[in-house]
Amino acid sequence: MTAKPFSFGRVIVYGVLLVAAFFFLAPLYVMVVTSLKDAEEIRTGNLLSLPGSINFEAWSLAWSSACTGVDCRGLQPYFMNSVIMAVPAVLFSTAWGALNGYVLSMWKFRGSEVLFGFLLFGVFMPFQVVLLPMSQVLGYLGLSSSIVGLILVHCLAGMAGTTLFFRNYYTAIPRELVNAARIDGAGFFRIFWRIVIPMSTPILMVTLIWQFTNIWNDFLFGVAFSGADSKPVTVGLNNMANTTSSVKSYNVDMAAAIIAGLPTMLVYVLAGQYFVKGLTAGAVKG
């Protein structure tokens, strides 16, 4: 096996990628090193310098005792609210989109293409447009300022995107498989569970990661529809960062920001390869 010859173009490409990676990771580096410093070291030291000694006190304060307004319980209750909200919202919106995509691609009916066109409006519509009508609907259902209300909002907001993903993916599945199952007597749901779902692993991973990232990082719906006991972690982080005190605790704010973003970072680290494979397997193919 011979080594690849030296290429000046290859060096340029890797150099550009390294520079881009440096600028992309520099804010994360600043956040990590700042969170490990004490207040004195932050005031007297350099922004990019490594901490003299590793100190996790800021992390402990950010998690359990930092103040967000008059509430001094840290990010822990907000973090748990996000977990309780994100998990069912991701699962429900993904299942809903899979079923919609299955119907719109394999069980077409009169007007199905028109319906799909209207669903596409939901992908490009600014969410600010639906704040007022959504708040009225939640009030009518008695779900205002509750985690259940947030779950419903995220399911509805994500339905258009998940439907688009699954519908475009399912159009590539050979229709002969579905037709053969129909001849053998399989019905609507049996074909879905026995044939379509086992072939949907790539797009399922794409949609789960996509939905989890969008729902976990959402701030607009969280601040608009949550109550005092149902605020997600993004709202808690914002309140913590804007809470005034005699001395600004940058290390605590940085630790809190990392804690808030840690689940999505872990998802991409552990399942990022499946996300890329799912996209190349036809997740965005029309």
Side-chain angles (χ1 to χ4, degrees), residues 99-118:
L99 194 60
N100 287 345
Y102 170 59
V103 172
L104 292 173
S105 61
M106 298 185 182
W107 297 78
K108 293 185 178 182
F109 50 89
R110 180 177 296 180
S112 60
E113 293 299 326
V114 176
L115 177 60
F116 180 65
F118 279 114

Side-chain angles (χ1 to χ4, degrees), residues 169 198-207 274-275 277-279 281-283:
Y169 185 84
M199 301 176 65
S200 304
T201 301
I203 191 60
L204 278 173
M205 295 304 301
V206 168
T207 308
Y274 301 106
F275 185 81
K277 289 179 181 178
L279 289 177

Side-chain angles (χ1 to χ4, degrees), residues 4 6-22:
K4 293 183 179 180
F6 174 80
S7 172
F8 182 73
R10 188 184 300 273
V11 174
I12 296 296
V13 170
Y14 280 107
V16 172
L17 290 176
L18 287 174
V19 172
F22 170 79

Side-chain angles (χ1 to χ4, degrees), residues 53-127:
S53 61
I54 296 179
N55 185 352
F56 288 100
E57 182 181 0
W59 289 71
S60 178
L61 291 173
W63 176 251
S64 60
S65 59
C67 292
T68 56
V70 296
D71 186 357
C72 294
R73 294 180 294 167
L75 279 185
Q76 183 176 0
Y78 303 97
F79 190 95
M80 298 310 300
N81 286 341
S82 286
V83 172
I84 297 171
M85 174 195 68
V87 172
V90 169
L91 295 179
F92 290 153
S93 61
T94 300
W96 198 347
L99 194 60
N100 287 345
Y102 170 59
V103 172
L104 292 173
S105 61
M106 298 185 182
W107 297 78
K108 293 185 178 182
F109 50 89
R110 180 177 296 180
S112 60
E113 293 299 326
V114 176
L115 177 60
F116 180 65
F118 279 114
L119 277 174
L120 288 181
F121 280 112
V123 179
F124 305 104
M125 182 184 298
F127 287 145

Side-chain angles (χ1 to χ4, degrees), residues 210-283:
W210 178 267
Q211 280 297 95
F212 180 80
T213 303
N214 288 338
I215 293 173
W216 186 273
N217 291 336
D218 171 73
F219 177 78
L220 179 63
F221 291 153
V223 74
F225 300 129
S226 63
D229 298 325
S230 60
K231 296 185 184 298
V233 70
T234 50
V235 178
L237 177 62
N238 177 75
N239 294 345
M240 181 181 295
N242 291 326
T243 298
T244 58
S245 60
S246 57
V247 178
K248 186 64 175 176
S249 301
Y250 292 104
N251 51 351
V252 176
D253 291 345
M254 295 298 180
I258 296 174
I259 291 173
L262 196 58
T264 52
M265 288 189 286
L266 288 177
V267 165
Y268 274 102
V269 168
L270 298 177
Q273 58 177 330
Y274 301 106
F275 185 81
V276 175
K277 289 179 181 178
L279 289 177
T280 57

